[in-house]
Amino acid sequence: MDEQIVAIYTLVNDLLLGLGHHENSQCRMNDSEVITTAIVAALFFSGNYELARAFLHQGGYIPTMLSKSRYSRRLHRVSHYIVTFIEMLGAHWKGVSSDSIYVIDTFPIVVCDNWRIRRCRLYREEKYRGKIASKRRYFYGLKLHLMVTSQGQPVEFFLTPGSESDVTHLRSFQFDLPTGSEIYADKIYNDYTMEDLINETRQVKLCPVRKKNSKRPYPPWRTYWIKLHRKIVETTGSSIARRMPRSIHAVTAAGFELKIALFVLAESVSHIFKVAT
């Protein structure tokens, strides 16, 4: 763990320097330490900032650790860098990918159970009530839209309310991929208009699993190939879910969404350690 924590701090500090980040010299705890603490929390402590703060302070990694409230304010002040880091690591994974295969899928992020919706303070609108078709159950919260490489490294993500359709948000993906790339997806993403548009504007091919009555069927071998690669994004989604606690504690919606982004970033960082070993 020692080497991983040092590596995370070095990576964060180099990325901030590369972005031209400047901060007040009088700060006891610099922004690199603030972000490193959040990543360590997501990577090793299920997103618990307090456990990460105590571990890093008592272990001598960050002797000048801020108090709980001051740390929370500092983290939210630099929260925009979390998404930037995910995008930068995503660009790196695209650059080192051995092929041009990517996979997209959607995962439910539960804020609370249905019977607690009336007491939920983070989200209060009906649009956050979604349905998990495979489990035949409803949930209240967000959807995590995720794109990964053929090795499972996160490339792109965004969040939407739980009730909104997956195929509707195909337009929300940037699809900034190498020319000739193929994107595999579940059958819910069948939209011939979007397939043609993406192919024409981005020069990449969207290949969802076809429905039985599809007008653009695949040969059996290609259907098997797409379904085989579909498991990659499901594995990454399960890995992100395992990092999350049973109930994500957050005071505000922005804090909840920040923790989700941190879990995605932690998953991306974990692949760096896998490559190193």
Side-chain angles (χ1 to χ4, degrees):
M1 184 183 290
D2 293 346
E3 295 179 354
Q4 293 177 335
I5 292 173
V6 173
I8 291 170
Y9 175 81
T10 303
L11 174 65
V12 170
N13 192 56
D14 289 346
L15 290 175
L16 286 178
L17 290 175
L19 293 171
H21 174 69
H22 298 285
E23 54 188 302
N24 194 325
S25 60
Q26 296 180 346
C27 291
R28 293 174 53 205
M29 183 177 178
N30 61 45
D31 290 339
S32 297
E33 293 172 331
V34 171
I35 297 175
T36 297
T37 303
I39 297 175
V40 169
L43 198 58
F44 302 112
F45 299 102
S46 299
N48 191 315
Y49 298 147
E50 278 299 284
L51 291 179
R53 285 179 58 254
F55 176 81
L56 294 176
H57 178 62
Q58 295 173 8
Y61 297 98
I62 304 178
T64 56
M65 181 65 69
L66 297 174
S67 64
K68 179 179 179 179
S69 60
R70 290 185 64 190
Y71 173 78
S72 180
R73 290 195 296 271
R74 283 285 300 279
L75 177 60
H76 279 272
R77 194 182 305 170
V78 297
S79 60
H80 58 283
Y81 284 115
I82 303 300
V83 177
T84 303
F85 290 166
I86 295 173
E87 293 174 349
M88 294 176 72
L89 286 176
H92 168 72
W93 296 128
K94 286 186 286 186
V96 301
S97 179
S98 58
D99 51 35
S100 297
I101 295 176
Y102 300 86
V103 196
I104 60 175
D105 204 356
T106 306
F107 305 94
I109 306 295
V110 180
V111 175
C112 69
D113 293 321
N114 276 330
W115 59 276
R116 294 186 58 194
I117 290 176
R118 292 185 179 181
R119 290 185 288 167
C120 182
R121 298 183 179 181
L122 298 183
Y123 303 99
R124 294 181 178 272
E125 301 177 39
E126 186 63 22
K127 66 181 181 180
Y128 294 101
R129 189 198 301 267
K131 183 178 182 180
I132 307 175
S134 61
K135 297 182 180 180
R136 297 183 180 180
R137 63 180 292 264
Y138 288 89
F139 74 99
Y140 192 74
L142 305 174
K143 284 184 177 179
L144 170 64
H145 299 256
L146 186 66
M147 178 187 293
V148 303
T149 66
S150 59
Q151 302 301 316
Q153 297 110 340
V155 169
E156 187 179 344
F157 90 103
F158 57 89
L159 301 170
T160 61
S163 67
E164 297 185 1
S165 171
D166 297 350
V167 69
T168 301
H169 286 281
L170 264 175
R171 298 176 182 272
S172 299
F173 281 103
Q174 297 180 9
F175 294 113
D176 185 16
L177 303 172
T179 301
S181 297
E182 291 188 342
I183 307 164
Y184 298 154
D186 195 7
K187 64 177 63 177
I188 197 172
Y189 289 98
N190 276 273
D191 185 334
Y192 301 145
T193 302
M194 277 300 300
E195 289 181 33
D196 296 337
L197 180 63
I198 293 169
N199 191 16
E200 180 181 350
T201 59
R202 294 294 186 179
Q203 301 300 310
V204 297
K205 190 172 183 180
L206 177 63
C207 306
V209 177
R210 293 303 187 197
K211 298 180 180 180
K212 292 182 179 180
N213 60 349
S214 175
K215 296 179 180 179
R216 301 181 182 181
Y218 299 134
W221 69 267
R222 184 157 180 77
T223 299
Y224 171 79
W225 182 254
I226 294 174
K227 288 183 177 180
L228 182 65
H229 282 79
R230 277 264 307 123
K231 297 178 181 179
I232 298 170
V233 70
E234 293 174 355
T235 301
T236 301
S238 298
S239 180
I240 294 174
R242 284 195 299 270
R243 300 186 188 281
M244 299 180 185
R246 185 173 182 180
S247 177
I248 300 176
H249 173 72
V251 178
T252 64
F256 184 86
E257 292 162 15
L258 173 59
K259 282 197 172 183
I260 301 302
L262 282 167
F263 287 122
V264 176
L265 178 57
E267 178 66 21
S268 187
V269 169
S270 70
H271 282 273
I272 297 177
F273 303 139
K274 292 178 183 179
V275 173
T277 56

